[in-house]
Amino acid sequence: MSSPHPAPDPSGAETERAQAATLAGELFAPGVGAQAGPPRTPARATAVQPGASSAGGHSHGPGERPRAERFTSRNPDEFGVPTGREEEWRFTPLIRMRDLLDPFEADQALTVETSAPDQVEVREVAGDADPVGTVLAPADRVSALALERVRRAHVVTVPKGTTVAEPVTITLRGQGERAYGHLVVDVQPSADAVVVLDHVGSARLAANVELRVGDGASLTFLSVQDWADDAVHVVAHAAELGRDARLRHAVVTFGGDLVRISPTVRFTAPGGDAELLGLSFADAGQHQEARLYVDHAVDHCRSRVTYKGALQGRDAHTVWIGDVRIRPEGVATDTYELNRNLLLTDGARADSVPNLEIETGEVAGAGHASATGRFDDQQLFYLMARGIPEGEARRLVVRGFFADVINAIGVPAVAERLSAAVEAELAAVGA
């Protein structure tokens, strides 16, 4: 369990003990971490002076050599077939998704059901037609294969200046087929919309999602993975934000045998604001992986990442990789990323790797935190001492753990569904 990276403090052991106590309080306070997270006021950090390194092992200052530029290509062959020894694949059970690592002829397209207000245009285009591929730069072999071989893509366009009152809903329904998929959401300048992408049934799906949020526009995008137990889903999300654009991006994963989602956010002009939210609940044998990359390449932008996962059952496995890069041009960046994991039973495993790379000494704030833990016996005792049965006390703890993420998503109809799904997961093991 690692703590956020503060500025160096000469007080030594006493400071370390205080930081450990603070983090323990965040994780196991009432709500088991539901109240912990990014600061309510803008994050603050001591600026890294030229030639110095920031505190902690995940970051470095502008005087050190930056890591290699993130490799992207539209050519799948330039990535090669992963072996599992590569950093970006070392947590993923490749044997369970082996057929997605090579080109295949899709069995058939998944059934697509759409519901959209009249102001919103939803259309189907050829896989190589504009605007497919205008935001996405594939960063792994599966994404490149899906971009190269997808035959049909769906495009959602929210016209300039339009405020959409009702969510746009797109449901992908699988019947066990192997398929490629592609979705483009284009929210034009000064528009405001909510888009929900829902995955149900069973499939082996390699896909890409592109989100363009224009100047002054706002998009809430929610991807729900409610697959059957045998589904395999590997997808890259790429978001591009214009000047003063706002993005709330949420990923919710309950079902599937293996689900790996890789969101990327890129700012193109000052004033962009991105909030990335994640909620996952892994059962026995499930592998759920989220790999995020937030690229602060322009000045005066803000990002917040909050991902929470609960795990129960033998070999339940979640992986969270949070990469935030602040380039030399990212002056006055304000960023914070948080990952919390709650282990409900023995035999479950959560891997959490926050990475923060700072290449400028002029940031408004930058930090990250990660923690994994079990139920707090004292907290359960507190609830049970007030007449609450142990099973109900455990459910209350988990509800509190997820409450802030569910509330932050901000889509009431979806919030009710997510709360019910969490209850169903808990009932499955009698928690």
Side-chain angles (χ1 to χ4, degrees), residues 11 17 27 109 128 145 148-149 168 184 206-207 230-231 236 253 282 292 300 310 325-326 339 359 384 397 409 412 423:
S11 58
R17 285 193 293 271
L27 180 60
D128 57 355
L145 281 170
E148 177 186 73
R149 301 184 67 83
V168 178
V184 179
D230 62 343
T253 303
L292 293 83
H300 293 87
R325 182 177 184 182
I326 306 175
N339 178 232
E359 300 176 55
M384 293 170 65
V397 168
I409 290 173
E423 292 290 336

Side-chain angles (χ1 to χ4, degrees), residues 161-185:
T162 300
T163 297
V164 182
E166 297 297 324
V168 178
T169 302
I170 301 171
T171 302
L172 300 183
R173 190 178 304 277
Q175 303 293 333
E177 59 270 73
R178 206 168 38 161
Y180 292 112
H182 201 105
L183 172 67
V184 179
V185 178

Side-chain angles (χ1 to χ4, degrees), residues 70 135-136 143 197 199 207-211 221-225 233 235-239 249-251 261-265 291 293 307:
R70 190 174 190 240
V135 173
L136 175 74
S143 177
L197 177 61
H199 303 86
N208 291 304
V209 173
E210 300 183 81
L211 310 174
F221 179 81
L222 172 61
S223 179
V224 181
Q225 287 64 239
H233 182 193
V235 60
H237 292 186
H249 178 281
V251 171
I261 301 178
S262 303
T264 298
V265 174
R291 306 185 68 93
Y293 181 70
Y307 268 60

Side-chain angles (χ1 to χ4, degrees), residues 141-430:
R141 180 176 175 84
V142 176
S143 177
L145 281 170
L147 181 61
E148 177 186 73
R149 301 184 67 83
V150 68
R151 294 179 179 176
R152 307 295 296 175
H154 288 81
V155 179
V156 176
T157 304
V158 183
K160 181 178 181 180
T162 300
T163 297
V164 182
E166 297 297 324
V168 178
T169 302
I170 301 171
T171 302
L172 300 183
R173 190 178 304 277
Q175 303 293 333
E177 59 270 73
R178 206 168 38 161
Y180 292 112
H182 201 105
L183 172 67
V184 179
V185 178
D186 183 9
V187 183
Q188 297 181 352
S190 301
D192 188 345
V194 175
V195 177
V196 178
L197 177 61
D198 206 354
H199 303 86
V200 295
S202 178
R204 303 185 68 82
L205 176 64
N208 291 304
V209 173
E210 300 183 81
L211 310 174
R212 176 181 285 109
V213 189
D215 294 348
S218 178
L219 170 64
T220 295
F221 179 81
L222 172 61
S223 179
V224 181
Q225 287 64 239
D226 200 9
W227 292 110
D229 292 342
D230 62 343
V232 173
H233 182 193
V234 181
V235 60
H237 292 186
E240 180 182 275
L241 277 65
R243 181 178 297 273
D244 298 325
R246 299 290 180 268
L247 171 67
R248 181 183 290 120
H249 178 281
V251 171
V252 177
T253 303
F254 291 110
D257 177 54
L258 182 154
V259 176
R260 174 181 153 127
I261 301 178
S262 303
T264 298
V265 174
R266 184 171 67 92
F267 300 93
T268 63
D273 190 306
E275 183 175 15
L276 282 73
L277 304 166
L279 184 158
S280 64
F281 207 124
D283 291 325
Q286 286 185 306
H287 179 92
Q288 299 173 356
E289 184 169 344
R291 306 185 68 93
L292 293 83
Y293 181 70
V294 181
D295 190 356
H296 284 275
V298 297
D299 60 289
H300 293 87
C301 291
R302 175 184 180 273
S303 65
R304 288 289 186 271
V305 177
T306 305
Y307 268 60
K308 291 189 175 184
L311 302 89
Q312 61 186 10
R314 182 165 299 280
D315 295 327
H317 188 198
T318 61
V319 177
W320 177 83
I321 310 294
D323 288 339
V324 176
R325 182 177 184 182
I326 306 175
R327 297 177 185 265
E329 302 84 2
V331 174
T333 288
D334 182 11
T335 182
Y336 193 92
E337 58 177 350
L338 169 75
N339 178 232
R340 294 281 189 260
N341 299 291
L342 183 61
L343 304 178
L344 303 179
T345 65
D346 293 334
R349 171 183 169 183
D351 288 295
S352 180
V353 185
N355 298 299
L356 177 59
E357 184 175 10
I358 305 174
E359 300 176 55
T360 176
E362 301 179 33
V363 295
H368 58 224
S370 170
T372 298
R374 300 179 181 276
F375 279 113
D376 183 9
D377 290 338
Q378 289 185 347
Q379 188 176 50
L380 289 177
F381 176 79
Y382 177 88
L383 294 171
M384 293 170 65
R386 280 149 181 79
I388 300 174
E390 181 179 358
E392 179 61 23
R394 289 179 177 273
R395 285 192 290 272
L396 286 173
V397 168
V398 179
R399 289 176 199 154
F401 178 72
F402 283 132
D404 59 337
V405 175
I406 293 175
N407 293 336
I409 290 173
V411 183
V414 173
E416 183 177 346
R417 173 186 170 188
L418 299 184
S419 297
V422 169
E423 292 290 336
E425 294 282 356
L426 293 171
V429 293

